[in-house]
Amino acid sequence: MLLTQIARFIIGFSWLYHGLFPKLLHIDPIEKMMTASLGFSDEISYLITKAAGVGELVFGLIFILFYKNRTVVWLNIVGLIGLLFFVIVLQPQLLVGAFNPVTTNIPLIGLSFILLESKSKQRL
């Protein structure tokens, strides 16, 4: 059970942190570059980044509260894979920097599979 709780809070904290700090309290230049690479104006990029921050905060809270729901865990996995591919397609140079999506998303996906596995063992 302890591993489940560790995975739950690490994943939830990651969503909360990435929604709050680089998107809502202080827009990180990389976040701005990511949305701008979609071809939006600075104003629209700003709004998209803020909306993404709110979405990540909401999902982080949902994850912490409903981590036992397999659908929520699968949404987390799909979301993290989607965000990783978003970077691969739009800003691949970010994949080789420090603290990049490979080194953050893949471990979070791994923790998600630990949660899924622990749920399947609880059913036996």
Side-chain angles (χ1 to χ4, degrees), residues 70-90:
R70 294 179 68 82
T71 302
V72 170
V73 178
W74 276 109
L75 285 173
N76 177 62
I77 292 168
V78 170
L80 290 168
I81 291 170
L83 290 169
L84 183 58
F85 278 114
F86 181 71
V87 173
I88 290 168
V89 171
L90 295 176

Side-chain angles (χ1 to χ4, degrees), residues 7 9-11 21 37 48 51-52 56 62 67 74 78 81 83 85 93 96 100 113-114 116 119 121:
F9 285 112
I10 288 174
I11 294 166
F21 290 104
S37 67
I48 291 171
E56 289 181 10
I62 288 170
Y67 71 100
W74 276 109
V78 170
I81 291 170
L83 290 169
F85 278 114
Q93 73 278 5
V96 295
N100 64 64
F113 281 113
I114 289 171
L116 289 172
K119 286 175 192 27
K121 285 184 179 179

Side-chain angles (χ1 to χ4, degrees), residues 8 95 109 115-116:
R8 168 194 187 191
L95 299 173
I109 291 167
L115 285 175
L116 289 172

